[in-house]
C-alpha cells in the first residue's frame, strides 16, 4: 500500500518513519526536493495546489493525507476523486479558515474566544467596540506560529493593525490573559474507534512552541478536552489524527484552534507513548486498528528553533532522544526537537531544566 502525503516537511518525514515498519510505502509532493521527507521517500515537486501534480499523487497512492493543512481545497477535492482522502475534506476546509473554525467550536458547544469577522475598516471599529481591548486581529487564512496577527492594546493601534493586515479577510478576537496553554491530540479510525492522548502543556515564545510537557496531569481538564475532541472527530466523521489547542484561563478551557493533522505538541509520543501520534495516523488512514495512546512515563519535548546545537551535551543524558530534520537553519524555523522521557515527573522536571538552560533560559517553568 502506498500512502501519498501533500507536504514533505518534518511531519511527513515522521509519518513515513512510523509507517515503514507497518509495511507501507510513501510518496510526497512538495515545492522543493530540499525537504525533510525527501531524505527517506520520493517527492514529486511542483506547486502544492497544482491539479496535475495532486492528480499524479492520487493515481499513485491508495490513500492521500496531508502534513500541511493549507492545501487548496478544490485541488484536494479533485485529487480525492481518484483515491481516498483522510482526513476528510470538510475538516481540512474548516481548519483552514479561523472563522469557520470558531463557528464549528460554537456549534459543538466548545468554549472559544469571543470573536467578530472583519471585512473592512469600519468592521474593525465595530469589532473593537463590541469585543473590547485588548484584542488580537488575525488573518482568517494562512496564519501559523503567531504569523498574520496583531495585538491591539489601545484605540491608537487600530490604524497600525489595519495597515499591516487589512488586505485580506480577518477576524478580531478577545485577548485571553491565559494562565497557560494546553493541547489535546487524538485519532479516529475508519471503523469509528477513537484513541486520545494525555493532555499536553505547551510553552510558547514569540508565538512559536518551544516546550511541551506531557502528560499534563489535570484530570478534569483532560476529561473535558477529550470530550471536545470526540465531538469534533464524530462531527466530521473524521479519519486520522486531529489536535485542538487551548488557553487555560481561571481553570477553564478556551479553544484557540484545531489542526487536522499530527501536531508539534505530540512529538513526545514517538518515545513517550505506547503508540506515537504518527503511527496512529498511519494506522487510522490505512484502515488498521488504533494503538494504545497511553504515556510510557513523563515526557518533555523541546523544539530546536533557528539553530541546531551540537547534540553531544543532550545525548549524554539518559532518556534523551534527538531529532534533526536536516533543514537549512533560518531564524524562527523549526529545525528539530529533542525529547526526554523519565519515569517520574520530578525527574523529568529536573532534567528538562538542565536541557533548557542553554536554549530557552527565559522560559518560566512554574505553572
Ligand atoms: P495561533 O496562531 O492562533 O496559534 O496563536 C499563536 C500564539 O499566540 C498562541 O499560542 C498564543 O500564545 C497567542 N495567542 C493567540 N491568540 C490569542 C488570544 N486570543 N489571546 C491571547 N494570546 C493569544
Amino acid at each position: 500500500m502506498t500512502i501519498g502525503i501533500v507536504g514533505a516537511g518534518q511531519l511527513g518525514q515522521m509519518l513515513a518513519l512510523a509507517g515503514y515498519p507497518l509495511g507501507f510505502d510513501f510518496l510526497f509532493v512538495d515545492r522543493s526536493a530540499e525537504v525533510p521527507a525527501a531524505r527517506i521517500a520520493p517527492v514529486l515537486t511542483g506547486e502544492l495546489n497544482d491539479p496535475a501534480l495532486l492528480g499524479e499523487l492520487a493515481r499513485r497512492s491508495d490513500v492521500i493525507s496531508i502534513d500541511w493543512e493549507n492545501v487548496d481545497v478544490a485541488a484536494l477535492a479533485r485529487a480525492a476523486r481518484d483515491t481516498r482522502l483522510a482526513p476528510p475534506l470538510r475538516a481540512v476546509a474548516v481548519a483552514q479558515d479561523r472563522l469557520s473554525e470558531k463557528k464549528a467550536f460554537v456549534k459543538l458547544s466548545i468554549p472559544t474566544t469571543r470573536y467578530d469577522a472583519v471585512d473592512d475598516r469600519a468592521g474593525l471599529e465595530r469589532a473593537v467596540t463590541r469585543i473590547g481591548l485588548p484584542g488580537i486581529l488575525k488573518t482568517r487564512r494562512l496564519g501559523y506560529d503567531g504569523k498574520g496577527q496583531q495585538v491591539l492594546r489601545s484605540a491608537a493601534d487600530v490604524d497600525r493593525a489595519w495597515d499591516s493586515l487589512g488586505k485580506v479577510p480577518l477576524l478580531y478576537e478577545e485577548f485571553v490573559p491565559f494562565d497557560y496553554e494546553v493541547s489535546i491530540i487524538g485519532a479516529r479510525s475508519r471503523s469509528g474507534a477513537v484513541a486520545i492522548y494525555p493532555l499536553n502543556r505547551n510553552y510558547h515564545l514569540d508565538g512559536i512552541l518551544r516546550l511541551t510537557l506531557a502528560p499534563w496531569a489535570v484530570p478534569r481538564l483532560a476529561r473535558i478536552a477529550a470530550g471536545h475532541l470526540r465531538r469534533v472527530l464524530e462531527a466530521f466523521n473524521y479519519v486520522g489524527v486531529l489536535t485542538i489547542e487551548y488557553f487555560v484561563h481561571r481553570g477553564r478551557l478556551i479553544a484557540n484552534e484545531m489542526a487536522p493533522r499530527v501536531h508539534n505538541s505530540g512529538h513526545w509520543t514517538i518515545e513517550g507513548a505506547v503508540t506515537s501520534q504518527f503511527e496512529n495516523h498511519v494506522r487510522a488512514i490505512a484502515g488498521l486498528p488504533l494503538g494504545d495512546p497511553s504515556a510510557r512515563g513523563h515526557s518533555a519535548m523541546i523544539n530546536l528553533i533557528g539553530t541546531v546545537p551540537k547534540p553531544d551535551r543532550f545525548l549524554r543524558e539518559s532518556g534523551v532522544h534527538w531529532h534533526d530534520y536536516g533543514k537549512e537553519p533560518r531564524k524562527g524555523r523549526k529545525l528539530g526537537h529533542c525529547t526526554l522521557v523519565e519515569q517520574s515527573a520530578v525527574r523529568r522536571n529536573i532534567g528538562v531544566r538542565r536541557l533548557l538552560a542553554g536554549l530557552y533560559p527565559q522560559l518560566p517553568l512554574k505553572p
Side-chain angles (χ1 to χ4, degrees), residues 76-153:
L76 213 48
R78 265 195 303 275
R81 283 191 217 134
D82 290 330
T83 188
R84 212 156 47 74
L85 172 70
L89 198 60
R90 203 160 59 87
V92 178
V94 166
Q96 282 183 0
D97 180 349
R98 288 187 192 272
L99 181 61
S100 27
E101 199 171 65
K102 295 270 184 226
K103 287 183 177 164
F105 284 142
V106 171
K107 196 166 158 210
L108 295 169
S109 305
I110 298 171
T112 187
T113 49
R114 292 191 305 128
Y115 69 91
D116 262 342
V118 171
D119 294 317
D120 50 33
R121 174 67 219 250
L124 178 57
E125 301 275 358
R126 278 196 302 276
V128 171
T129 306
R130 197 181 80 79
I131 309 279
L133 290 161
I136 304 197
L137 187 63
K138 298 181 173 181
T139 58
R140 279 172 54 177
R141 293 177 170 274
L142 293 170
Y144 68 99
D145 288 348
K147 293 189 173 63
Q149 299 189 10
Q150 291 277 328
V151 178
L152 281 74
R153 299 195 183 277

Side-chain angles (χ1 to χ4, degrees), residues 98 113 136 138 145-146 149 173-176 178 181 204 207 247 256-257:
R98 288 187 192 272
T113 49
I136 304 197
K138 298 181 173 181
D145 288 348
Q149 299 189 10
E173 66 181 34
E174 64 179 313
F175 183 90
V176 181
F178 56 78
E181 295 182 81
H204 295 80
F247 308 123
N256 176 30
E257 59 183 359

